[in-house]
Amino acid sequence: MRRNDMGNQQFDLVVRGGRVIDPETEFDAVADIGMAGGKIVSIGEGLPACEREIDATGLIVAPGFIDLHAHGQSIPADRMQAFDGVTTALELEVGALPVDRWYERQATNGRVLNYGTAAAWIFARKAVMIGLSLDGKLAPIELMGAGANDMRWSVDTATPAQTDEIVSMMRQGLEQGALGIGIPHGYAPGGGMKEMAAVCELAAAFDVPTYTHIPYMSNIDPKSSIEAYVRLIGLAGATGAHMHICHLNSTSLQDVERAAQLIAKAQAQGLPITTEAYPYGTGSTVLSAGFFMEPDYPERTGTGYRSIQVISTGQRFENREQLAQARAEKPDAIVLWHYLDPDNPHDDKLLDVSVMYPGGAIASDGIPWSSPDGSLYTGTEWPLGPDKTAHPRSSGTFTRFLRKWVAERKVVPLSEAIAKCTLIPARIVESCSEQFCRKGRLQEGCDADIVVFDLEKVYDRATFEEMHLPADGMVHVLVNGEPVIANGELVLDARPGRPILSDPR
């Protein structure tokens, strides 16, 4: 805290007169927040006048939202997520390799939001098993589509020597500051239990989470989603690793209620398991995802081939042969997967189970923005034109959750909803990075990542027809004390995002 010669507090910025909600202390009152040097230095009534002030009268003031599952990792992705209230966007489910080069690339490009990554198990598999080059030039989502011409990395079991190599690459990534290990096991179901145990033992030794996309997504045995959850719970118990379950809704399909019961029982026994969900019944992935090509895909998932939609062209598929042809032509094409029907009350109830799971985080699984030809868009055009595509969750995950579950249906209390967007995700990652102990909270000494919003006007405008529309209702968004949204408008030249790495071990 800085003081002038008269002993009065000096601030860089004051947010004045808003309803301040801190999910950790349960503070909920009208107050002022004074900031200096990117930190919160004072919270109270009647703080001294400041040259720069934000009038938050009648508005909610909360910690900036932390997205554990953000694949965008670019300026356009950051900007859209800022309108969704996000101040920290993390690439944890997939991750990156080499980790140090990924952080260097982000710093060179500049970021609007705080950022960080896990170490990418699946890229290590591709490098070790098919010799894929990891030179740091491709974005993680591009690397996810690489290697489709040689699927040994996906379906084969690693030899003991290969497992040692994979684990060694994970260790190097953790030593370079990765925030855990990303395990999108569903894309490489060939990963056997010996390999998984070795990877999880490494995570436990470094006291970092794993962020897991379960290996099987199916409503029927064998290789059902339930079998996958039992395996994940077993890994937590056997290795002591913190197993974070990504997108509970999309990987559980029609079995989300049973999956939630298993997770709750494991947590009640003290196992280190956490989870997240996004408020949509449509997922997104790359066309080369192996589970689309399983012969019994319709029976196992409860969806047909028309549920798969190429984002850049709108194409849907009539049969497996059409899908295989498109996959051969452009394996890295980003697709939508409509696995739940939002107009079906039963499916809507299943979405509730995952989104409202007690202690679960909200996370977007937001994908990068694409140009009309399907290539990644990383430019600075603003506003984004209608020819730029992604998924509505890349624009409106958190505002959709606040609108539908809090403002309209009133089934989640506001304080609990804010915790699911802030404190809960911070606590999931803070074991490996002390920086997260200063995020997801509004307290003196915490980082000045702050959102100021109008709950009555919060609205996710993006649809599957118009994905490029930013959300409404975020009046001000501050990242490290610097406005990136001011009076509802984007601050075009703002680049206050900072890297978040794990603590040295």
Side-chain angles (χ1 to χ4, degrees):
M1 183 180 299
R2 298 183 296 174
R3 298 179 179 272
N4 63 19
D5 294 338
M6 299 297 294
N8 292 326
Q9 297 173 5
Q10 294 291 294
F11 305 117
D12 299 332
L13 178 65
V14 170
V15 175
R16 194 174 297 280
R19 179 185 170 188
V20 176
I21 299 178
D22 175 53
E24 185 169 62
T25 63
E26 299 183 356
F27 180 88
D28 185 344
V30 174
D32 304 336
I33 300 180
M35 290 157 272
K39 303 288 185 186
I40 296 171
V41 295
S42 188
I43 300 177
E45 296 182 45
L47 295 187
C50 179
E51 184 176 339
R52 299 170 62 215
E53 294 196 355
I54 289 173
D55 181 5
T57 303
L59 302 175
I60 306 297
V61 182
F65 302 160
I66 299 170
D67 190 354
L68 299 173
H69 198 151
H71 297 305
Q73 302 299 318
S74 65
I75 289 173
D78 281 358
R79 286 171 164 177
M80 293 298 277
Q81 287 211 285
F83 280 96
D84 203 25
V86 175
T87 56
T88 298
L90 306 172
E91 169 59 271
L92 300 180
E93 180 214 27
V94 172
L97 275 183
V99 168
D100 56 353
R101 293 186 187 175
W102 184 87
Y103 276 106
E104 289 168 4
R105 181 176 180 180
Q106 306 310 309
T108 299
N109 294 340
R111 292 292 298 274
V112 179
L113 308 181
N114 301 311
Y115 56 92
T117 188
W121 164 77
I122 204 165
F123 299 161
R125 257 193 153 245
K126 291 185 177 188
V128 170
M129 300 181 78
I130 66 170
L132 186 72
S133 174
L134 302 179
D135 57 12
K137 294 180 181 179
L138 295 179
I141 199 72
E142 293 174 306
L143 278 173
M144 281 297 288
N149 59 333
D150 184 352
M151 295 296 286
R152 288 177 297 157
W153 61 268
S154 174
V155 299
D156 285 4
T157 301
T159 66
Q162 289 173 330
T163 296
D164 288 346
E165 254 191 287
I166 291 166
V167 171
S168 177
M169 295 180 74
M170 295 295 91
R171 180 181 297 275
Q172 183 178 45
L174 293 174
E175 290 172 345
Q176 292 174 353
L179 297 170
I181 300 176
I183 307 179
H185 203 172
Y187 296 86
M193 289 303 287
K194 285 189 174 182
E195 178 184 349
M196 288 297 99
V199 170
C200 291
E201 286 168 350
L202 176 67
F206 274 75
D207 195 19
V208 299
T210 68
Y211 311 94
T212 304
H213 180 304
I214 59 172
Y216 314 129
M217 293 181 293
S218 171
N219 299 317
I220 56 176
D221 281 328
K223 297 184 178 180
S224 66
S225 296
I226 297 306
E227 178 182 336
Y229 281 116
V230 171
R231 287 179 52 160
L232 182 146
I233 291 166
L235 284 167
T239 69
H242 175 173
M243 307 297 291
H244 178 73
I245 300 166
C246 296
H247 39 52
L248 173 62
N249 46 324
S250 62
T251 49
S252 303
L253 303 176
Q254 298 290 320
D255 282 334
V256 66
E257 291 176 293
R258 180 62 178 140
Q261 291 169 356
L262 291 172
I263 295 166
K265 179 63 71 69
Q267 290 175 329
Q269 295 177 64
L271 292 178
I273 297 172
T274 53
T275 191
E276 67 181 50
Y278 54 79
Y280 296 88
T282 294
S284 185
T285 183
V286 288
L287 193 53
S288 61
F291 61 87
F292 287 147
M293 291 303 296
E294 292 183 3
D296 55 354
Y297 158 78
E299 293 76 20
R300 299 191 70 82
T301 64
T303 63
Y305 292 101
R306 284 195 60 78
S307 67
I308 307 167
Q309 179 182 5
V310 179
I311 287 181
S312 60
T313 64
Q315 179 186 7
R316 293 184 186 241
F317 303 98
E318 299 299 331
N319 50 51
R320 188 171 182 267
E321 290 68 31
Q322 284 187 2
L323 178 66
Q325 181 179 348
R327 185 175 181 273
E329 294 172 356
K330 192 169 179 53
D332 60 347
I334 300 177
V335 298
L336 300 173
W337 181 31
H338 304 282
Y339 62 89
L340 290 180
D341 180 359
D343 296 323
N344 183 319
H346 175 264
D347 285 6
D348 205 38
K349 177 186 174 184
L350 296 183
L351 190 57
D352 269 357
V353 171
S354 55
V355 169
M356 297 172 62
Y357 184 83
I362 299 299
S364 75
D365 194 8
I367 61 173
W369 290 89
S370 295
S371 297
D373 63 358
S375 62
L376 294 188
Y377 177 72
T378 58
T380 58
E381 169 192 335
W382 190 262
L384 286 185
D387 61 337
K388 305 301 187 300
T389 54
H391 184 297
R393 69 189 185 205
S394 298
S395 307
T397 290
F398 295 87
T399 44
R400 181 180 181 83
F401 170 59
L402 290 173
R403 174 178 67 86
K404 290 193 65 175
W405 278 263
V406 181
E408 293 181 355
R409 295 174 57 202
K410 296 180 171 57
V411 292
V412 179
L414 177 60
S415 58
E416 179 184 335
I418 288 175
K420 290 173 80 69
C421 302
T422 60
L423 180 65
I424 289 171
R427 284 178 169 168
I428 288 169
V429 196
E430 66 186 21
S431 68
C432 66
S433 178
E434 187 269 340
Q435 291 183 67
F436 284 102
C437 296
R438 301 191 302 271
K439 296 189 181 296
R441 303 155 170 92
L442 290 185
Q443 301 168 28
E444 294 180 6
C446 288
D447 296 338
D449 297 336
I450 298 174
V451 292
V452 181
F453 63 92
D454 186 338
L455 184 60
E456 295 182 359
K457 295 182 180 178
V458 162
Y459 197 88
D460 54 306
R461 296 197 299 145
T463 66
F464 289 105
E465 293 71 38
E466 295 183 295
M467 304 176 189
H468 67 293
L469 299 177
D472 277 343
M474 290 294 156
V475 184
H476 300 276
V477 176
L478 309 177
V479 176
N480 298 305
E482 183 175 332
V484 297
I485 304 291
N487 294 311
E489 299 292 333
L490 179 72
V491 181
L492 284 169
D493 59 352
R495 301 290 187 276
R498 298 174 185 170
I500 305 176
L501 293 87
S502 61
D503 300 328
R505 303 289 170 174

